[in-house]
Amino acid sequence: MPSAFSPEEINQFFTKLHHEFPGNFTELNYTNPYTLLVAVVLSAQSTDKGVNKATASLFQSASSPQQMLDLGQEAVRQAIKTISFYNTKSKHIIQLSQILQNKFQGQVPSCRKDLESLPGVGRKTANVILNMVYHELTIAVDTHIFRVANRTGLAPGKTPLLVEQNLLEVVPSEFLKDAHHMLLMHGRYICKARRPLCASCPVRQECTYTDKAVMF
């Protein structure tokens, strides 16, 4: 489905978002590519705030695959038990750490295929790593970005993959590196799921959301 925006409107949309949310960063706390990978895996169906609380002590003890393996699954499970699906996630963390240690010399791979071969790592997580660690022009479509792309009319699609493909087609090249961060933050803090803050939205003029008038 094509964008509801003209090229000029798309450029204005991202110019305004860039002014509102400059830079490219995550609200997840991490110290290196490995801890970023672990944090993103843990963030599935969990809040960044909750993940940061769980990893505060975990990353002090283990900031590399070998250190995580030395810590052991039970210690990992206890450290992250405040977040959702901690049993499964603790298994994934140990399993992916073992693979990284055995197959990739303890390093986080830069290849999408290799990343997605790791337990608990899907396309969204791989895109985050490729973008933030290896500076590839990828967009990780989570629930916030999926909502923003469809609600605004920027890059509508029925699946996250379609939204990702549509965004990569319409986002101006100068904004591609930071597009994931800008759209995520916009969805998290302004274009919220239940009650979007349309009155204070920097892109309300470009947005095609039909119910935004009632929000003023």
Side-chain angles (χ1 to χ4, degrees):
M1 188 181 299
S3 175
F5 295 9
S6 68
E8 293 77 15
E9 288 172 328
I10 292 174
N11 191 67
Q12 280 296 309
F13 184 95
F14 282 99
T15 298
K16 291 176 180 179
L17 282 191
H18 182 69
H19 179 76
E20 192 80 10
F21 305 109
N24 183 10
F25 63 91
T26 175
E27 293 187 307
L28 290 169
N29 294 335
Y30 68 99
T31 58
N32 56 36
Y34 171 71
T35 55
L36 175 61
L37 175 62
V38 171
V40 178
V41 169
L42 294 179
S43 71
Q45 297 180 285
S46 300
T47 65
D48 287 359
K49 183 178 180 179
V51 171
N52 289 338
K53 183 178 179 180
T55 57
S57 61
L58 178 63
F59 289 163
Q60 287 183 353
S61 302
S63 59
S64 70
Q66 187 58 60
Q67 289 175 343
M68 196 70 75
L69 292 171
D70 292 342
L71 200 59
Q73 185 180 329
E74 180 56 27
V76 174
R77 193 180 76 87
Q78 289 298 320
I80 67 170
K81 65 181 180 182
T82 55
I83 65 175
S84 60
F85 306 106
Y86 64 93
N87 283 317
T88 298
K89 289 176 179 178
S90 64
K91 289 180 182 179
H92 286 163
I93 296 307
I94 292 298
Q95 290 170 345
L96 72 82
S97 298
Q98 189 71 68
I99 294 171
L100 291 177
Q101 193 64 25
N102 292 346
K103 190 175 180 180
F104 301 104
Q105 296 76 51
Q107 302 300 307
V108 175
S110 60
C111 168
R112 176 186 298 281
K113 182 179 179 181
D114 290 338
L115 284 167
E116 292 186 14
S117 72
L118 300 172
V121 177
R123 186 176 183 86
K124 181 187 76 173
T125 298
N127 277 342
V128 172
I129 300 301
L130 292 172
N131 178 253
M132 296 197 64
V133 176
Y134 296 108
H135 311 295
E136 290 194 19
L137 303 181
T138 61
I139 299 176
V141 178
D142 66 353
T143 56
H144 297 297
I145 295 177
F146 185 81
R147 179 174 66 255
V148 169
N150 279 286
R151 178 186 276 165
T152 63
L154 174 65
K158 292 185 178 181
T159 67
L161 180 58
L162 285 174
V163 167
E164 177 189 333
Q165 293 170 340
N166 291 338
L167 283 171
L168 290 173
E169 287 185 6
V170 302
V171 177
S173 58
E174 64 266 34
F175 296 115
L176 261 177
K177 182 175 71 69
D178 300 337
H180 166 260
H181 164 73
M182 291 187 286
L183 292 169
L184 170 62
M185 298 296 281
H186 184 64
R188 180 174 290 169
Y189 293 109
I190 297 176
C191 196
K192 299 180 180 182
R194 294 188 179 182
R195 187 172 177 81
L197 306 180
C198 295
S200 58
C201 176
V203 294
R204 59 183 178 272
Q205 290 183 322
E206 291 77 21
C207 175
T208 62
Y209 180 47
T210 55
D211 292 334
K212 64 183 174 182
V214 303
M215 300 295 175
F216 287 80

